[in-house]
Amino acid sequence: MPSNKTLLLLPGDGIGPEVVAQVRRVADWMAKNRAVGFDLKEGLVGGCSIDKNDSPLTDETMADAMEADAVLLGAVGGPKWDAVDFAIRPEAGLLRLRKDMELFANLRPAIVFPALADHSTLKREVVEGLDILIVRELTGGVYFGEPRGIFNLPDGQRKGVNTQVYTTSEIHRVAAVAFDLARKRSNKVCSVEKMNVMESGRLWREEVTKLHKEKFADVELSHMLADNCAMQLVRYPKQFDVIVTDNLFGDMLSDEAAMLTGSLGMLPSASLGATDATGKRKALYEPVHGSAPDIAGKNVANPIATLLSFAMMLRYSFDMGDDADLIEKAIRRVLDDGVRTGDIASAETAKVSTSGMGDHVLKALDSLAR
Ligand code: IPM
Ligand code: MG
């Protein structure tokens, strides 16, 4: 028997605890039915950690994250913490996890489930069958660049500064992940920057081109300016397979891509570090949606993005592709059966609660595993 996998759950704020609770149920199901045990540990991140510890992420929880085989995070933030010091805002906990675990590659797939094609704000024919993957650089760029800060000027004005900065190796390692993943998909990568305005964008394009020539010439590579990419994503999104881009553009373009699928409540993500000598890599999985404070605690949030994030964990951290497939299939079946949380419901469909959606997924797992 392989030893149990240690999994750190960080439910966080807002709807985080409700959606992560559904993953617990699926993990229990797997332990019972698929002979894979998880040692689940739970910790605080974000506002709930500020309330208890005056810090959005304690050193102890950071250490737990470093030790775990994988981390699953719900969401952080909310208006309750709007007034806390910028340095210890809830989001700082998430950013520290990303930075200290060196999770430089953020995978954000946007897949349109057939049952939801009419739910997108775009026409069915534009989004039907869509399956794209945004690979966002996650530990560099303007999110972390120095100098940064708000400075007082001698004339009494203030100056806000952030720095967009990338090095060759930072560009190469994230582009390599994108090329590798493209090989297992439709073999196309579109690299996105603003080389018409920014030197960092110019370097990005040059280095991606160089790496492509050296190691990934079999993959089809194109380049696009970020503003054009934003437009192309709503004009003709199916032209894309894998998009690789920097931290800030990736943040924006992935929200845009998410909405193509009908709801932000459907989108999972994986944040991966480098593979070590033993083949292991640090990883954090989280739904792309935020803490949705307006619906928190009401048992109405859609847990699918978090369940799909758990499936990504099985695939990328534990090489359990079959089990990941099973969860994805169960979710597909539930959607085909017309089961809907509020965010994906239409006038004709009844709404289920967060835990109700969990019930349906477990039932579908039961019948698929039979
Ligand atoms: C995301 C979020 C985060 C980001 C916030 C919560 C710091 O928008 O994961 O896309 O900007 O990266
Ligand atoms: Mg974002």
Side-chain angles (χ1 to χ4, degrees):
M1 255 313 264
S3 62
N4 279 0
K5 305 172 185 327
T6 61
L7 177 45
L8 177 66
L9 300 177
L10 299 174
D13 307 320
I15 60 173
E18 299 157 66
V19 291
V20 169
Q22 306 313 309
V23 168
R24 260 186 188 279
R25 299 174 71 195
V26 171
D28 286 346
W29 184 92
M30 309 244 4
K32 260 189 227 123
N33 296 279
R34 307 285 284 187
V36 276
F38 295 97
D39 285 334
L40 301 182
K41 199 166 182 181
E42 199 165 310
L44 298 177
V45 67
C48 57
S49 178
I50 298 173
D51 289 349
K52 176 135 188 274
N53 307 310
D54 286 323
S55 154
L57 185 76
T58 61
D59 291 342
E60 293 75 53
T61 308
M62 188 64 235
D64 287 344
M66 295 297 258
E67 250 161 54
D69 291 319
V71 181
L72 182 84
L73 186 138
V76 293
K80 182 177 171 198
W81 302 282
D82 276 352
V84 303
D85 200 23
F86 186 72
I88 61 148
R89 71 200 184 286
E91 290 79 3
L94 174 59
L95 294 171
R96 179 173 175 204
L97 280 166
R98 291 174 178 171
K99 190 70 175 169
D100 287 8
M101 292 169 78
E102 289 189 76
L103 307 173
F104 63 87
N106 180 218
L107 280 42
R108 298 191 161 187
I111 293 170
V112 172
F113 287 83
L116 294 183
D118 284 322
H119 200 81
S120 172
T121 46
L122 298 191
K123 295 194 196 90
R124 173 179 264 275
E125 62 265 30
V126 177
V127 298
E128 196 169 27
L130 182 75
D131 180 355
I132 62 180
L133 175 65
I134 296 189
V135 178
R136 166 189 176 192
E137 200 292 325
L138 202 60
T139 51
V142 75
Y143 270 60
F144 296 98
E146 299 280 348
R148 65 183 298 163
I150 299 177
F151 304 98
N152 293 317
L153 298 177
D155 68 357
Q157 293 196 80
R158 296 196 302 153
K159 179 167 86 169
V161 178
N162 291 94
T163 302
Q164 166 80 339
V165 50
Y166 274 107
T167 61
T168 307
S169 61
E170 285 176 308
I171 298 167
H172 281 207
R173 65 181 182 175
V174 72
V177 169
F179 285 128
D180 262 333
L181 290 166
R183 280 180 175 157
K184 298 179 198 131
R185 299 169 45 97
S186 300
N187 213 31
K188 284 199 312 193
V189 170
C190 179
S191 169
V192 172
E193 24 61 15
K194 278 284 285 178
M195 62 88 82
N196 56 345
V197 178
M198 301 161 76
E199 283 79 0
S200 59
R202 184 158 290 266
L203 183 79
W204 184 281
R205 186 174 293 207
E206 286 173 8
E207 290 303 330
V208 169
T209 304
K210 205 153 121 202
L211 180 75
H212 174 253
K213 214 185 228 154
E214 280 164 13
K215 295 197 178 138
F216 298 98
D218 56 301
V219 180
E220 191 184 313
L221 171 66
S222 61
H223 303 274
M224 205 177 262
L225 299 176
D227 52 344
N228 185 27
C229 181
M231 186 272 280
Q232 295 294 341
L233 270 173
V234 288
R235 188 184 78 87
Y236 178 35
K238 284 188 249 179
Q239 70 186 280
F240 298 109
D241 178 27
V242 176
I243 291 173
V244 62
T245 190
D246 76 19
N247 207 341
L248 184 61
F249 294 141
D251 180 46
M252 296 188 281
L253 295 173
S254 63
D255 261 27
E256 190 189 2
M259 205 51 217
L260 301 175
T261 70
S263 170
L264 210 50
M266 298 293 298
L267 271 278
S269 80
S271 305
L272 308 176
T275 314
D276 69 16
T278 70
K280 273 178 68 163
R281 66 191 337 172
K282 292 209 180 358
L284 178 139
Y285 300 82
E286 53 175 320
V288 171
H289 63 67
S291 59
D294 51 320
I295 57 165
K298 296 184 178 156
N299 196 26
V300 299
N302 186 350
I304 291 181
T306 313
L307 291 169
L308 289 171
S309 301
F310 180 62
M312 286 187 92
M313 175 191 300
L314 299 182
R315 197 182 299 287
Y316 290 107
S317 283
F318 302 134
D319 208 12
M320 291 164 59
D322 290 347
D323 298 273
D325 283 349
L326 188 71
I327 293 173
E328 287 165 5
K329 232 189 247 164
I331 288 168
R332 209 169 278 256
R333 167 160 314 178
V334 164
L335 292 173
D336 286 344
D337 288 346
V339 178
R340 300 282 187 272
T341 41
D343 58 311
I344 48 175
S346 62
E348 305 88 66
T349 49
K351 288 184 210 165
V352 298
S353 62
T354 308
S355 51
M357 181 60 91
D359 295 342
H360 280 276
V361 171
L362 290 174
K363 240 186 271 163
L365 283 170
D366 276 336
S367 83
L368 283 167
R370 213 175 278 141

